[in-house]
Amino acid sequence: MTVDVLYFAWLRERIGQPSERVETEAATVRELVAELAARDAWHAAAFADMTAVRCAVDQELADLDAPLAGAREVAFFPPMTGG
Amino acid sequence: MTVDVLYFAWLRERIGQPSERVETEAATVRELVAELAARDAWHAAAFADMTAVRCAVDQELADLDAPLAGAREVAFFPPMTGG
Amino acid sequence: MVARVQAAPFDLAAELAGFGAGAGAQVTFTGIVRDDSGRMAALEIEHYPGMTEAALTAHGLEAARRFGLIDWRIVHRHGRLEVGAQIMMVATAARHRRAAFEAADYLMDWLKSRAPFWKREIGHDGSAHWVEAKASDEAALDRW
Amino acid sequence: MVARVQAAPFDLAAELAGFGAGAGAQVTFTGIVRDDSGRMAALEIEHYPGMTEAALTAHGLEAARRFGLIDWRIVHRHGRLEVGAQIMMVATAARHRRAAFEAADYLMDWLKSRAPFWKREIGHDGSAHWVEAKASDEAALDRW
């Protein structure tokens, strides 16, 4: 399936782009992260410490074990600091 | 000693005046209340239920056993309902 | 660091102009005349001139010490206030949100049960009766 | 019942015009850019367009149900905000003060740790670093 992957804050900076379109058969967010981290050193650095990474699937907060079936947009970002 | 006694809210209405100047030898607020309540039916009605009466001595909240020595102004009123 | 008692309406925006410079968090509370019964036309608020502003000021200063406020403001109206009118406001400013929230909450609990104001409900039919203090308002202050 | 994300400043008085008709209690919280180190010139706030307003709206509605709010409003800015500038505001209106206070406090705890905003501190020297989330902000949400 085709998924738009979005990056925010320092993940965006580390990876060097705000988004990319990926072809994946990953069943969960965790499997998608493994695929992305294997791409290059920048992706690997961004996903090196997953305790510092949060995720949203189709704009809803999700955890690493969330299923990806049917997802169109997956976003990765650091813990939020609004307000 | 001479004390200005002030009444607020329904105590003022029951007693029929906002303040009066009294001569008293009362040592505490409680003794002053006893003297005032003995004056007439209106005062007696105002002080009939002391659980519903609050007091300030020289503009500081005080309880019935507060001493009156040196006091110039004593106020009686119902529980406060500001805000 | 201002406490005022006045008959006139207040303007929240004007009260906050220049308020709390250097703060990271500002909280305001505004109390409004509410008609629960459908029969009320207005509130009449009586206070204890002389005692009121001094008590509000002393208590604002105490809250500032206790919660480390950078600034605070209390404005309370008296006289006749129609349904929908503002009754009073509290504003607090602190470095962090927790202190600003707690100080405003505390000041309100104090105002409700220890500040010398009394409210009378005026009905559309001209009736008037004094609002009784709520045990819950007295109890609220025990939280602090 | 409005949530907005915008670069422009907001005017608290304008936001409160007509807000919360019928309420007895209004609470506002305003967050302001604070320089703790003496070296900060501004904050830069990034957000997740598309997700942000939807998440704010969904959460405002949830708070309204949970606390019985008559009205609520959330405005959050993004982009570069100088020290002293407003970052965001929350306003809540309810019949009684407890609900208005608690809902505002709850919405702030949620915004701090669950709304998709990220802050970067910009120094006078042009340096930039991302503000790390505080464990205390995550923990604050557990109170509810």
Side-chain angles (χ1 to χ4, degrees):
Chain A
M1 64 182 171
T2 306
V3 177
D4 285 320
V5 180
L6 277 56
Y7 304 108
F8 293 97
W10 58 254
L11 277 107
R12 174 176 50 69
E13 294 179 330
R14 259 181 223 184
I15 286 168
Q17 56 190 0
S19 67
E20 57 191 323
R21 182 158 290 182
V22 303
E23 276 298 322
T24 179
E25 297 307 316
T28 63
V29 174
R30 195 183 299 277
E31 288 180 23
L32 176 62
V33 168
E35 288 179 15
L36 293 167
R39 290 197 161 195
D40 56 41
W42 295 278
H43 284 80
F47 292 113
D49 175 10
M50 287 305 291
T51 65
V53 176
R54 300 289 179 272
C55 172
V57 175
D58 288 336
Q59 306 191 353
E60 296 274 351
L61 294 178
D63 62 32
L64 288 175
D65 295 315
L68 278 190
R72 294 186 303 178
E73 181 175 302
V74 179
F76 294 101
F77 40 78
M80 293 146 279
T81 55
Chain B
M1 64 182 174
T2 306
V3 178
D4 285 321
V5 180
L6 278 56
Y7 305 108
F8 292 97
W10 56 255
L11 276 105
R12 173 175 52 68
E13 295 179 327
R14 259 181 224 184
I15 285 168
Q17 56 190 0
S19 68
E20 58 190 320
R21 182 158 290 182
V22 303
E23 276 299 322
T24 180
E25 296 308 316
T28 64
V29 174
R30 195 184 298 277
E31 288 180 23
L32 176 62
V33 167
E35 287 179 15
L36 292 167
R39 289 197 160 196
D40 56 39
W42 296 278
H43 284 81
F47 292 113
D49 175 11
M50 288 305 292
T51 65
V53 177
R54 299 290 179 272
C55 172
V57 175
D58 287 335
Q59 305 190 355
E60 297 275 350
L61 294 179
D63 62 31
L64 288 177
D65 295 315
L68 279 189
R72 293 186 304 180
E73 182 174 301
V74 179
F76 295 101
F77 39 78
M80 291 146 280
T81 54
Chain C
M1 313 272 187
V2 171
R4 288 202 324 273
V5 180
Q6 62 188 39
F10 54 85
D11 174 359
L12 188 63
E15 299 294 339
L16 295 180
F19 179 78
Q26 288 183 3
V27 169
T28 71
F29 177 90
T30 307
I32 298 145
V33 182
R34 193 186 67 235
D35 175 21
D36 281 348
S37 65
R39 291 189 299 268
M40 198 174 94
L43 279 183
E44 256 176 31
I45 299 186
E46 181 172 335
H47 75 115
Y48 183 168
M51 178 171 169
T52 320
E53 294 205 15
L56 297 183
T57 300
H59 211 70
L61 292 170
E62 198 235 299
R65 271 193 306 276
R66 177 167 178 167
F67 297 97
L69 298 181
I70 290 171
D71 206 351
W72 56 271
R73 183 165 289 229
I74 303 171
V75 181
H76 203 302
R77 297 177 68 190
H78 65 87
R80 183 184 169 104
L81 306 176
E82 309 297 317
V83 168
Q86 305 158 319
I87 305 171
M88 48 75 59
M89 61 155 280
V90 158
T92 58
R95 293 167 62 82
H96 298 288
R97 76 184 187 285
R98 180 79 16 242
F101 267 120
E102 289 192 346
D105 198 2
Y106 170 71
L107 282 171
M108 285 310 304
D109 281 349
W110 177 81
L111 275 164
K112 285 273 176 187
S113 62
R114 293 286 185 277
F117 292 98
W118 300 275
K119 288 177 184 162
R120 185 156 61 163
E121 291 184 3
I122 310 297
H124 288 297
D125 56 1
S127 63
H129 77 269
W130 294 99
V131 176
E132 282 194 45
K134 294 194 209 106
S136 59
D137 282 336
E138 290 266 337
L141 203 56
D142 297 336
R143 295 188 298 144
W144 301 99
Chain D
M1 313 273 187
V2 171
R4 288 202 323 273
V5 180
Q6 61 188 40
F10 54 84
D11 174 358
L12 188 62
E15 299 294 339
L16 295 180
F19 178 78
Q26 286 184 4
V27 169
T28 71
F29 178 91
T30 307
I32 298 145
V33 181
R34 193 185 67 235
D35 175 20
D36 281 347
S37 65
R39 293 190 297 270
M40 197 175 95
L43 278 183
E44 256 177 32
I45 299 186
E46 181 172 336
H47 75 116
Y48 184 167
M51 178 173 170
T52 320
E53 296 206 13
L56 297 184
T57 300
H59 211 69
L61 292 170
E62 198 235 300
R65 270 193 308 275
R66 178 168 177 168
F67 297 97
L69 297 181
I70 290 170
D71 206 350
W72 57 270
R73 181 165 291 228
I74 302 171
V75 181
H76 203 304
R77 298 177 67 190
H78 65 87
R80 182 183 168 103
L81 306 177
E82 308 298 316
V83 168
Q86 305 158 319
I87 304 171
M88 48 73 59
M89 61 155 282
V90 159
T92 57
R95 293 167 62 81
H96 299 287
R97 76 184 187 286
R98 179 79 15 241
F101 266 120
E102 289 192 346
D105 197 3
Y106 170 71
L107 282 171
M108 285 309 305
D109 280 349
W110 177 82
L111 274 164
K112 285 272 175 186
S113 61
R114 292 287 185 277
F117 292 98
W118 301 276
K119 288 177 185 163
R120 185 156 61 163
E121 291 184 2
I122 310 299
H124 288 297
D125 58 0
S127 64
H129 77 269
W130 293 99
V131 176
E132 282 195 46
K134 294 194 209 108
S136 59
D137 283 337
E138 289 267 337
L141 203 57
D142 296 336
R143 296 187 298 144
W144 301 98

